[in-house]
Amino acid sequence: MIKNVLLVDDDSEMLHALKEGFKKYQESFAVVLAEDGLQALERLKSNLISLVVTDLKMPHMDGFELLAHIMVHYPDIPVIIITGYSTPEMEQLAREGGAVGYIAKPFLIENLARQILTTLRKESEGGTLHNVSSGMFLQLIEMEQKTCTIRLEDKTSHKKGILFFNEGELFDARVNNMQGKAAAIEIFSWDAVNLSIQNGCALKENKIQSDLQALILEAMRQKDEDQPEEVPEGVMEQMEQGEEAPADLLKKLKERIENQIGQQCGLEDLYQDEFWDNRVAQLSKTGEFFHFGRLMLAYIDKGDTNDYILIPGGKTTVITVDPKCPRDKILRVISE
Amino acid sequence: MTDMRKLFKDILSTKGVKGIMLFSFSGDLIFKEFISPVNGEPGQRDWRFFIESLEDMRETDLVFEKGRIYIRKTEMGYLVVLMALFVPIAMIRLNCDILLPAIRQSKPDRGFGRFFKKK
C-alpha cells in the first residue's frame, strides 16, 4: 500500500524540489503538496495521509497551529518539522507539541527521506495483509481484543481508510471526509482490501460507541440496498430510447406478459399516449429528488374500470389492465 | 404529531421503509418521518406540482432504479411511503388499508370544540 506524505511549505520552489527529490522513493510513498496550514487541512480531509512534513513559518496558519490541529483531530499522523529559523527553544516547543522529528534547513533530501521511511515503517509494524475480507478480519481483532491502528485500501475503488481499535473495541474510523460510524460502515462495505497494522492506538476516547457486528451488518444491508436491480436491455429499454415504439415492440411486450403470466394476466390494451407525459415527468422528478434514480414503471389506480401501467419514454407507453390483475407479477415481468 | 407517529408505526417499522410523508391536497407537507437520512430537505421543497400530478389517482406505485414510492389517497391528502426495492409492496398496501380509517378519524375537528380547550 503506497502511503501519502503531506509536504507543507509556503516556499513553492522548496516544495517542488522535495517532490522531485522524493521521486526515487515513489514505490514507498507518494507526496501531496500544500502551501500553507489551511491548504494542508483541506488535503488532510480529502486524502488518507500517513505523515506530515511541515515548515513552521507560513501565512494563514503556521506550522505550530497545524501541529496542534493534527494532534487533536488526527493524532495517528506523525509530524516532522522543517524550519529555516531553528533555535533550541523552537525545537523544544515542536517536540512538546507532539512532533516526531525536527530538521533545520538546509538539509539533505536523503536525510529527510530516511526519517520519513523510518517513521512510515511503524505504520505496518504489526504486519500487512493482501486481498482479505475486511469484515472477517476485523472480527478477529475484536475477538483477540487487540489495540491497534489499521489502514485499509479497497481493491476496487482504491479508497483508503483507517480504523482505530482499543482492546478490540472500535474507537473511530476515517475515510475521505467521513469520520466515525459513517466511515466505519463505508469501510466494512469493501469486499476485498489490502491492510497494514500498526500496534497501538492514538485515540483514547471511543467516538463510535457501537457494536462491531451491528456496524458490519448495517454495511451489508446498505450495500444490498444500493445495488441497483440489474435489468437487461429488453423491450422496455428500447421503448425508452425511441421516440415512438414500433407496433411490433408493443406486440412483443404484450406477448411476454401473456406468455409468462397466462391469459388471467388481466391485460386489456397496450398503446402510447402523450397525455401522460407531463405527469410521468413530475413523478420522475420526485424519484430524482430522493436519489432513487430513473423511473422505470408506474402503476396507477384511478378507480376506473381499468388500472394503468406506465412506461416512461419518448412517448409514455400505457398498458391498461384489469384492477384484479396480479400487478406485482406484471411489473416484475415488464422490468425483466 | 405523536398520534401520527403512532399511526404509521407499523409501516415505518417494516424493513426497508425509509420514510413517510403526508401531504394535503394543496401540496402542504402535513407530516414527515424518516427512518434513514434522505437527500435534500423535503420540508423546503415545493410539492404542489407533484401533488397536482396525482390528481384523480387513488393509488400509485412508482418503481425507480434504486427505490420505490407508494402513494395512497386518503381523506386528508396523499400518503407517500419511500422504500427500498426489496420491500414487499403487498404488506405496505395492507398496512395502508388498515390505517386509512384511523386517518379519517384523526381529521381536524370541524365543530366549535377546535376553538376551545377541553376541560
Side-chain angles (χ1 to χ4, degrees), chain A residues 67-81:
Chain A
L67 176 65
H69 181 93
I70 291 172
M71 288 305 118
V72 173
H73 298 279
Y74 306 91
D76 54 294
I77 303 181
V79 179
I80 296 174
I81 301 287

Side-chain angles (χ1 to χ4, degrees), chain B residues 1 18 22-23 35 38 43 54 58 71 73 84 102 116:
Chain B
M1 280 298 184
K18 292 168 188 279
L22 181 65
F23 292 97
I35 300 299
V38 290
L54 299 176
R58 208 161 61 170
I71 305 159
K73 190 175 182 181
F116 307 108

Side-chain angles (χ1 to χ4, degrees), chain A residues 70-72 74-77 147-149 151 163-166 171 198-205:
Chain A
I70 291 172
M71 288 305 118
V72 173
Y74 306 91
D76 54 294
I77 303 181
T147 296
C148 57
T149 305
R151 290 170 178 83
L163 297 167
F164 302 88
F165 280 91
N166 200 318
F171 265 34
Q198 181 177 5
N199 298 328
C201 171
L203 295 189
K204 299 292 164 234
E205 183 197 345

Side-chain angles (χ1 to χ4, degrees), chain B residues 23-101:
Chain B
F23 292 97
S24 71
F25 289 113
S26 51
D28 297 321
L29 186 53
I30 302 170
F31 171 81
K32 66 177 164 70
E33 179 85 14
F34 294 99
I35 300 299
S36 46
V38 290
N39 166 59
E41 177 41 64
Q44 305 293 320
R45 193 178 188 231
D46 186 351
W47 292 98
R48 276 174 305 172
F49 294 116
F50 168 64
I51 295 301
E52 274 171 23
S53 72
L54 299 176
E55 200 198 343
D56 67 30
M57 294 186 193
R58 208 161 61 170
E59 198 185 354
T60 307
D61 182 6
L62 305 173
V63 184
F64 294 89
E65 278 176 302
K66 289 185 276 187
R68 202 160 175 161
I69 301 179
Y70 177 72
I71 305 159
R72 186 73 174 257
K73 190 175 182 181
T74 74
E75 285 203 8
M76 282 177 85
Y78 290 98
L79 179 68
V80 177
V81 185
L82 306 175
M83 64 195 112
L85 284 171
F86 62 81
V87 176
I89 194 80
M91 191 59 84
I92 301 297
R93 274 206 300 267
L94 184 69
N95 268 314
C96 286
D97 289 343
I98 296 167
L99 65 81
L100 278 184

Side-chain angles (χ1 to χ4, degrees), chain A residues 14-206:
Chain A
M14 174 76 177
L15 270 187
H16 288 98
L18 285 173
K19 190 182 170 189
E20 281 303 306
F22 287 152
K23 270 193 177 155
K24 57 179 155 184
Y25 302 97
Q26 61 191 10
E27 287 190 6
S28 303
F29 62 87
V31 292
V32 176
L33 307 179
E35 291 191 352
D36 58 51
L38 289 179
Q39 233 179 59
L41 298 189
E42 289 305 311
R43 305 284 187 271
L44 282 163
K45 275 187 195 165
S46 49
N47 301 276
L48 188 76
I49 301 292
S50 293
L51 178 103
V52 175
V53 177
T54 181
D55 185 19
L56 279 182
K57 216 169 159 231
M58 291 181 297
H60 309 307
M61 184 187 208
D62 67 29
F64 280 119
E65 286 172 284
L66 177 62
L67 176 65
H69 181 93
I70 291 172
M71 288 305 118
V72 173
H73 298 279
Y74 306 91
D76 54 294
I77 303 181
V79 179
I80 296 174
I81 301 287
I82 48 172
T83 179
Y85 306 90
S86 181
T87 62
E89 292 75 26
M90 248 183 191
E91 178 167 3
Q92 195 188 342
L93 268 179
R95 300 265 184 205
E96 282 171 4
V100 297
Y102 183 93
I103 297 176
K105 289 179 187 172
F107 55 82
L108 286 173
I109 287 189
E110 280 67 29
N111 285 351
L112 177 57
R114 205 174 307 127
Q115 191 153 358
I116 289 174
L117 289 172
T118 312
T119 313
L120 288 180
R121 221 165 282 141
K122 287 184 187 154
E123 259 197 13
S124 31
E125 63 195 349
T128 53
L129 284 168
H130 295 278
N131 222 353
V132 291
S133 142
S134 61
M136 227 152 77
F137 175 76
L138 298 167
Q139 285 178 58
L140 278 177
I141 300 280
E142 188 186 37
M143 270 162 62
E144 290 183 12
Q145 302 200 315
K146 267 180 117 35
T147 296
C148 57
T149 305
I150 302 177
R151 290 170 178 83
L152 312 92
E153 182 181 15
D154 179 23
K155 296 260 294 175
T156 318
S157 65
H158 297 289
K159 276 189 194 170
K160 289 176 180 174
I162 183 165
L163 297 167
F164 302 88
F165 280 91
N166 200 318
E167 294 182 348
E169 239 182 281
L170 181 63
F171 265 34
D172 201 6
R174 202 167 66 225
V175 60
N176 292 344
N177 271 335
M178 277 188 280
Q179 207 153 1
K181 247 185 220 178
I185 289 171
E186 158 91 35
I187 293 173
F188 296 156
S189 71
W190 297 345
D191 287 325
V193 296
N194 293 336
L195 57 86
S196 64
I197 308 160
Q198 181 177 5
N199 298 328
C201 171
L203 295 189
K204 299 292 164 234
E205 183 197 345
N206 187 340

Side-chain angles (χ1 to χ4, degrees), chain A residues 296-315:
Chain A
M296 317 273 287
L297 292 167
Y299 187 99
I300 287 162
D301 168 6
K302 291 169 70 177
D304 295 345
T305 44
N306 288 323
D307 286 351
Y308 305 85
I309 297 173
L310 309 178
I311 306 175
K315 257 187 201 169

